[in-house]
Amino acid sequence: MSPTTQRRFLLGEAEMPTHYYNISADLPVPLPPPLHPATREPVGPDALAPLFPMELILQEVSQERYIEIPAPVRDVYATYRPSPLVRALSLERSLDTPAHIYFKYEGVSPAGSHKPNTAIPQAFYNRQEGVTKLATETGAGQWGSALAFAASQFGLDLKVFMVKISFLQKPYRRSMIQAYGASIVPSPSNETNAGRAILEMDPESTGSLGIAISEAVEVAATHEDTKYALGSVLNHVLLHQTIVGQEAITQMGMAGEGPDVVIGCAGGGSNFSGIAFPFLRDRLAGRTSTRFLAVEPASCPSLTKGEYRYDFGDTAGTTPLLKMHTLGNDFKPAPIHAGGLRYHGMAPMVSHLYDQGFIDAVAYKQNECFEAAIRFIRTEGIIPAPESSHAIKAAIDEALRAKETGEERVILFNLSGHGHFDMAAYDAYLAGELTDVVYEPAGAGAEGERPAAAEREAVTA
Ligand SMILES: *Cc1c(COP(=O)(O)O)cnc(C)c1O
């Protein structure tokens, strides 16, 4: 391969997309609506008004293909956008593959992941509608730090309910949130009915994302001046992330190639949607046959092993019912190191497109993902977030299949964040201390890797 082959494809600030792409406008079958849990009727915009500013509620149900990105949002995006598209030449060489591997690098944001792409507009729209305080939850701390950054940019107060186990085990994400000026409450807490109910049953509870969501939603619902913000799953979040894929389309054009497969790891589904949806537009219109691959952990496989049905977004059952692939709102994910992928459900939009056959999914165990991450670190030099390593593993497998068939496949994946705060996880992997956890639904054919219940709950390193 020629040593002069171009590695990085960069856009100037002026080339940043001016609009978000709304895939709702191009769906062959409309998305099933959220339902009120009691009446089972579709929830109207009014029902969501205590939680979200009106502009975000309108975006949630919008059928407009393109929605303009406000100038103040573009201004804050410019602290790190457009993000680079990189051809992973060293990784290609180490795999000796004819495939071309590209990745879009979202770890360049101040918070270190793709999450500021939605945190920034969410903070802006709240500010614009006179909201002064936000409440949210965070698991591993990535969403909390992204929203804390965005809240600081727009002068909003932020209270973050941080899952207690992460509060204790991830001190640096906690420090980061506090450095941006937000306040943190370990969840479950005594500040909400939802938190108190959990603590009454189990005073030692170390919390979960579902419980923390219940607490943050309750604070927003019961305080006139406070709104809630969610970092994944909802349509407006996926919409904001489409800035990633739109940039990538321009950058792949600079590289003179189009992807045969577009890959993203999938927790709630937002970074995957962000890179996939703008490319999916051409597939939906029959102009391409690009494949789209969502990658999830084998321990929390909502797409590949979950049921497609209406379910709650939180543990307490206070949110509207969403039609999604779900493991059940009482599902307790094993404590794997890709904290951002430990959510019981999948975005309704991703679930719908998967159900319609436009998206494929695959699940991997954490050790094989860390192995892929180490290969990536020793070739491309970037230390990926454990979540992102799932996308890397899938990209490597695609490249190895291309090698078998001698095919010049073009692979594009989203590198959703860096792993600089996750070095304890790398330590555990390198020391050989990580447990693989494979979830099988109850009653599934007990073949091969089905672990005992105790093993499913196994605490890893
Ligand atoms: C939160 C997070 C994810 C998972 O969330 P999605 O909504 O599925 O994108 C993936 N990667 C990183 C780095 C994260 O912080």
Side-chain angles (χ1 to χ4, degrees):
M1 195 168 297
S2 148
T4 57
T5 304
Q6 194 172 337
R7 209 183 262 270
R8 281 157 59 88
F9 299 88
L10 304 177
L11 297 173
E13 226 172 282
E15 293 160 291
M16 192 190 300
T18 56
H19 292 69
Y20 298 119
Y21 166 59
N22 181 12
I23 199 165
S24 295
D26 292 316
L27 293 178
V29 178
L31 185 70
L35 301 182
H36 190 281
T39 63
R40 293 225 149 218
E41 293 292 323
V43 292
D46 290 352
L48 297 172
L51 294 186
F52 300 107
M54 199 39 77
E55 179 59 30
L56 292 177
I57 295 172
L58 294 176
Q59 289 182 4
E60 193 61 26
V61 296
S62 171
Q63 297 296 319
E64 291 290 318
R65 182 168 291 113
Y66 286 103
I67 295 176
E68 191 168 4
I69 306 174
V73 171
R74 287 163 50 82
D75 186 51
V76 180
Y77 276 161
T79 57
Y80 64 97
R81 301 214 73 85
S83 69
L85 177 83
V86 183
R87 171 118 179 245
L89 283 170
S90 306
L91 176 64
E92 286 174 20
R93 286 174 197 143
S94 95
L95 295 169
D96 190 24
T97 173
H100 294 183
I101 306 174
Y102 294 84
F103 63 90
K104 182 76 167 149
Y105 188 37
E106 292 297 306
V108 294
S109 80
S113 77
H114 66 290
K115 289 193 171 80
N117 297 335
T118 185
I120 293 163
Q122 289 196 48
F124 168 76
Y125 291 120
N126 274 289
R127 181 73 214 209
Q128 195 186 36
E129 296 183 26
V131 176
T132 56
K133 295 182 187 160
L134 293 177
T136 197
E137 73 287 333
T138 197
Q142 286 139 324
W143 170 241
S145 48
L147 192 61
F149 158 62
S152 75
Q153 290 289 315
F154 291 104
L156 292 164
D157 285 341
L158 171 64
K159 178 178 281 196
V160 180
F161 288 90
M162 186 166 188
V163 177
K164 195 181 281 172
I165 187 82
S166 304
F167 180 86
L168 299 171
Q169 290 181 348
K170 306 246 169 165
Y172 298 129
R173 282 276 167 198
R174 188 177 83 197
S175 320
M176 196 173 171
I177 293 169
Q178 286 165 332
Y180 280 123
S183 64
I184 302 198
V185 183
S187 166
S189 79
N190 272 316
E191 294 197 12
T192 65
N193 289 332
R196 283 187 292 269
I198 298 286
L199 288 175
E200 232 165 75
M201 287 185 307
D202 177 11
E204 304 302 315
S205 167
T206 51
S208 74
L209 200 55
I211 295 168
I213 294 175
S214 300
E215 291 209 88
V217 166
E218 183 180 325
V219 166
T222 53
H223 292 78
E224 190 66 39
D225 60 354
T226 308
K227 298 258 188 243
Y228 171 67
L230 191 64
S232 189
V233 178
L234 298 181
N235 295 339
H236 68 264
V237 178
L238 276 43
L239 173 80
H240 301 152
Q241 293 294 348
T242 60
I243 191 164
V244 176
Q246 292 187 85
E247 287 179 4
I249 286 178
T250 309
Q251 290 164 310
M252 289 299 299
M254 292 162 72
E257 306 205 88
D260 296 306
V261 57
V262 178
I263 299 170
C265 66
S270 75
N271 88 82
F272 167 75
S273 302
I275 195 147
F277 286 1
F279 288 98
L280 195 52
R281 185 183 172 195
D282 279 343
R283 162 87 185 268
L284 291 173
R287 287 190 288 263
T288 62
S289 54
T290 310
R291 283 188 302 127
F292 298 90
L293 185 59
V295 191
E296 49 187 19
S299 60
C300 193
S302 50
L303 277 177
T304 50
K305 298 278 173 66
E307 292 173 38
Y308 188 39
R309 61 172 169 88
Y310 274 100
D311 194 12
F312 292 105
D314 69 334
T315 304
T318 52
T319 67
L321 290 166
L322 303 172
K323 180 100 185 260
M324 60 182 178
H325 281 268
T326 177
L327 298 166
N329 77 321
D330 58 351
F331 178 74
K332 284 205 194 67
I336 56 159
H337 281 286
L341 304 183
R342 295 175 57 212
Y343 183 65
H344 68 271
M346 184 54 64
M349 187 66 81
V350 174
S351 298
H352 179 64
L353 288 160
Y354 179 72
D355 190 58
Q356 298 272 308
F358 291 107
I359 291 173
D360 298 330
V362 63
Y364 288 115
K365 291 172 277 194
Q366 63 177 351
N367 274 301
E368 55 191 351
C369 294
F370 274 100
E371 186 188 346
I374 293 291
R375 184 189 272 271
F376 190 76
I377 292 168
R378 292 179 189 172
T379 49
E380 295 301 313
I382 296 172
I383 297 178
E387 291 84 357
S388 317
S389 72
H390 289 69
I392 295 172
K393 167 67 180 159
I396 289 177
D397 278 4
E398 288 283 336
L400 291 176
R401 270 197 292 278
K403 181 177 170 179
E404 274 169 28
T405 56
E407 207 186 318
E408 271 216 11
R409 198 176 297 190
V410 178
I411 300 163
L412 169 64
F413 73 90
N414 200 2
L415 188 57
S416 53
H418 69 62
H420 298 179
F421 293 90
D422 300 284
M423 296 318 293
Y426 279 95
D427 278 350
Y429 170 73
L430 292 170
E433 289 166 359
L434 288 191
T435 313
D436 276 332
V437 183
V438 177
Y439 167 82
E440 290 291 347
E447 298 221 354
E449 300 184 298
R450 187 174 182 200
E455 203 181 321
R456 285 206 295 276
E457 297 287 327
V459 176
T460 55

